Amino acid sequence: HERVLIITTQANAESAAAPSLTARGATIIGVPAGPSGRPDLNSTLSALGQNGIRTVMVEGGAEVLHSFLDKGMADYAVITLAPTFLNGFSIVQPPQEERSPEPRRMHNVVYRQVGDDLVIWGEFAQPSASQSTQMPFEDALENSTVSSTRAS
């Protein structure tokens, strides 16, 4: 049975849905809200660490990704470029007034075409000479076969 851990703001942790979720085995942890009203990232990562979670995959829209990048909380990134144009926010472009003066640059960048998509990954911190530069998922991509089905 998989463990389900839900981290939310303290106000949401006491919502009407909480008893139903905990009755079904979920653990709900309330953390302080940040300025945006979302869970504070430092508190969230601390709560995850206290629960034995050491690695987190962040998947989200422009605001979520920007919040991790802006605080320097990303060790590496995997970016998938698909040949599809959507209306909406740019991937990691923050509002003009929130842009940091220093751009984040990736190192040890690797890319691979997977079907019609281009997958790019790299590290944000310069690795020491003793660290491996292979990303944790690199073997999976190297050994994967991709099939695609298109509706006609």
Side-chain angles (χ1 to χ4, degrees), residues 17 26 71 111 128:
K71 294 184 184 309
Y111 62 92
S128 69

Side-chain angles (χ1 to χ4, degrees), residues 12-82:
N12 285 338
E14 299 166 6
S15 75
S20 172
L21 292 167
T22 55
R24 293 170 32 200
T27 301
I28 300 175
I29 299 173
V31 298
S36 67
R38 294 185 170 133
D40 174 74
L41 292 182
N42 288 323
S43 300
T44 297
L45 294 178
S46 177
L48 290 170
Q50 291 169 6
N51 281 274
I53 297 171
R54 302 287 179 252
T55 303
V56 177
M57 181 182 101
V58 176
E59 190 171 346
E63 291 180 38
V64 171
L65 296 174
H66 169 69
S67 63
F68 277 85
L69 289 172
D70 189 50
K71 294 184 184 309
M73 294 180 168
D75 296 322
Y76 62 89
V78 179
I79 302 164
T80 302
L81 300 174

Side-chain angles (χ1 to χ4, degrees), residues 114-137:
V114 180
D116 288 339
D117 298 344
L118 181 63
V119 180
I120 304 165
W121 62 94
E123 300 169 319
F124 284 114
Q126 191 71 287
S128 69
S130 64
Q131 286 180 304
S132 167
T133 59
Q134 183 158 343
M135 299 292 128
F137 46 82

